[in-house]
Amino acid sequence: MLLLHRRPYQSRRRRAPPGTSAAYDRRVTSASTAQSAGRAEPDPTTDGGSAADQAAPSGGGRVPAVVRRRLAGVDARLDGHAWLATTVVVAIAAILRFVGLSGPKGKIFDEIYYARDAYGLIDRGVEWNYKDNGPSYVVHPPLGKWLIGLGEWAFGYQDAETKISVPGHLMTTAPEFGWRFAAAVAGTLSVLLLVRIGRRMFRSTTLGCAAGLLLALDGFHLVLSRTALLDIFLLLFVLAAFGALVLDRDARRRRWARALDAGLDVSRPGRAGRPPSTWRDWPWWRLLAGVLLGCACSVKWSGLYFLPAFGLLVIFWEVGVRRSAGVRRPWRDTLLDELPWLLLAGVLAVGTYLATWSGWLLSDDGYYRLASRYPQAPLSDTPVVGALINLWEYHKAAYGFHTQLDDPHKYQSWPWQWLLLGRPVAFYWSGEGACGAPTCASEILLLGTPLLWWSFLPALGALAWLGAARRDWRAGAILLCVAAGLLPWFWFALDGRTMFSFYAAPALPFLVLAVVYVLGAIISPAGAPAARAASEEDVSDRRMVGGIIAGAYVLLVALCFGYFYPIFVGKLLPYADWSARMWLDGRWI
């Protein structure tokens, strides 16, 4: 199992004689991914080291050094150099996403639905059809549209078809900027999160910044960050929930480390053999992850696919920390201790989801809200309970729409095409304007940066192999999240459901992490004992070569992104230049 460490810390009933190494010390394998190319940082997932080092207590405590390393976390919130590098990457992402955000003019692709629904939420608390003066029937939860509406509230909204024009409450700008503002913020924040998550997972500022930079330079992510669609918000909340769980993992391991330092005897039965628990020791990050997953599901129901995946991560990580601490029955103790917290996180997720429907619940204007307006539907006007019954019936109707969505579409694609860029989606196209050529073209194409996306499948294969060889929790976590984001759509494909490539958006950050994991292995591969005995000069040379290879890859991705940038932002090009970027011909047109 990739998500667990080999058990290094035996029960206190079987201690090795003084001066000898315990049996587990001779079975430990290396599980290190790369460290920073600039400086080696301690990696708590590295199982290497001499037997004497592993058996000896560290710092005068009772815990063997190998256990202490495995229970160690990262706490570098005040690392000025890391935050400076993070700021540079996030600034690049923000510039790419906000500059020229108001173009092209008008509503493109599905903005025609979501920008209008968002204004209805801000104006009336529910999605509203101003043309027919009645509630809109919508099939996605409201949170993403609430966020789009905040931009419209702040910067103004216009709709020529419904003759609506309202100024912004903060300042009045081009209306397109208003309904795209929240998406640009979400895209920029997701880059920030990925930098910090990558740094924490890989123990390397260089690799964390590489992850954020690759995401910032991805055309797929850029287009979603500059368009008022829902998928960028789903990506943000899923990634934030994963980041909260990584923080929870570190916090729980620090808790066990403190308890073992204080003399905890894990062989004692019941609570006596577990770390003390006060309100400060509650898994607050895990509970926050529950709220964030509730937010993800409140954008699109596909956030549900990550609920079981993240629950499994918590279980596996908690079993792993108990094995490292020497608990005799780690699975039993994990289920007894952690299931209640997971259930509470689930309750918070449900509560968060219902809270996002507050506009519908607290008014009488929403679709299916009152039974008297829909006599043919099995609705109820009973106080309190009736609202929940009607909300359930609304969800059933929306679910029926999704399950029967099989109408052919020009830009539909199948899940096995997504990572190959088999059928990108054209959000905008125009042949008007002067470009200095007889014919011109302007397009916004939802296309991933090709060099990056065509690296995903090889990276996943390498990740699976390296993770199995190194027994590395990071590889397992990344693979599980990629599976949660992609595999359910293969099931829907069996029914012929109409699907689009942007359904893969929540998996994108984890695909980038897979690439960065492999780059880290190239920079600083896990060495065998003989390799660890090599001179520092040999190690430095190997890291320099690996750093050059990884740096060259990131540079090539940046150049590829620059070449395709005009069709990510709708820049007017001579038709020949536009056509030259259609590498797969008809599949991209």
Side-chain angles (χ1 to χ4, degrees), residues 9-97:
Y9 189 24
Q10 301 296 323
S11 169
R12 292 177 180 268
R13 295 183 179 183
R14 298 179 60 188
R15 295 182 180 175
T20 65
S21 61
Y24 63 82
D25 294 331
R26 296 192 293 271
R27 297 197 305 268
V28 169
T29 60
S30 176
S32 159
T33 309
Q35 306 305 312
S36 171
R39 63 187 177 110
E41 300 175 32
D43 187 343
T45 64
T46 300
D47 298 336
S50 67
D53 289 342
Q54 293 169 357
S58 174
R62 303 185 180 194
V63 185
V66 64
V67 178
R68 186 180 302 280
R69 285 197 300 272
R70 290 182 173 184
L71 297 181
V74 172
D75 189 10
R77 291 168 293 177
L78 302 180
D79 187 333
H81 295 292
W83 277 108
L84 177 60
T86 300
T87 301
V88 171
V89 173
V90 174
I92 293 171
I95 291 170
L96 290 171
R97 279 147 185 79

Side-chain angles (χ1 to χ4, degrees), residues 340-352:
W341 291 114
L342 286 175
L343 290 175
L344 179 57
V347 170
L348 290 174
V350 173
T352 301

Side-chain angles (χ1 to χ4, degrees), residues 465-484:
W465 183 80
L466 289 169
R470 299 176 173 189
R471 308 176 75 87
D472 193 340
W473 68 272
R474 293 167 290 199
I478 294 169
L479 286 170
L480 184 60
C481 292
V482 170

Side-chain angles (χ1 to χ4, degrees), residues 485-511:
L486 295 180
L487 291 186
W489 299 110
F490 284 81
W491 172 262
F492 289 115
L494 298 177
D495 293 332
R497 188 187 190 277
T498 305
M499 291 178 283
F500 302 90
S501 61
F502 50 80
Y503 292 0
L508 176 58
F510 305 104
L511 292 164

